[in-house]
Amino acid sequence: MTEGREPVRMCVICRQRFAKSQLLRHVPAIEGAAGNGLEADEAAVKPGRGWYVCQNQQCRERFAGMKFRRKSHKGSKNGKDKSH
């Protein structure tokens, strides 16, 4: 791997690419948490799929207003097992 190259990630709002260090990462919040279902992961170490948002104020505001839901497990419909 080439040294000196930082990973690149895309802002989920404006779809522009930035160095990973320039973006704020969000991960799924614990069940029942207030807000849009995500919490900021400033250290970028929490487990789970991350959503990245750039430093643009408009992107941050739009992201705060979005709603996210957890994906259901494969083979289930609305979180319920198909076998019943």
Side-chain angles (χ1 to χ4, degrees):
M1 192 161 143
T2 306
E3 289 185 35
R5 294 192 59 164
E6 186 175 0
V8 175
R9 299 290 184 265
M10 183 185 299
C11 173
V12 295
I13 303 298
C14 67
R15 312 288 288 174
Q16 292 185 33
R17 295 183 184 275
F18 298 91
K20 187 177 174 182
S21 64
Q22 294 178 323
L23 299 168
L24 179 60
R25 181 175 188 254
H26 291 77
V27 295
I30 56 173
E31 292 287 333
N36 63 1
L38 298 176
E39 63 180 326
D41 179 16
E42 294 176 11
V45 295
K46 293 182 180 178
R49 169 143 170 44
W51 286 266
Y52 293 88
V53 183
C54 70
Q55 297 177 6
N56 182 323
Q57 187 63 32
Q58 291 176 328
C59 289
R60 299 264 172 122
E61 289 172 3
R62 283 187 57 200
F63 184 78
M66 295 177 72
K67 300 240 189 257
F68 293 89
R69 60 184 175 91
R70 294 180 185 271
K71 290 185 176 183
S72 60
H73 296 286
K74 285 187 176 182
S76 67
K77 187 173 184 178
N78 298 330
K80 298 179 182 174
D81 189 7
K82 284 185 176 180
S83 63
H84 290 74

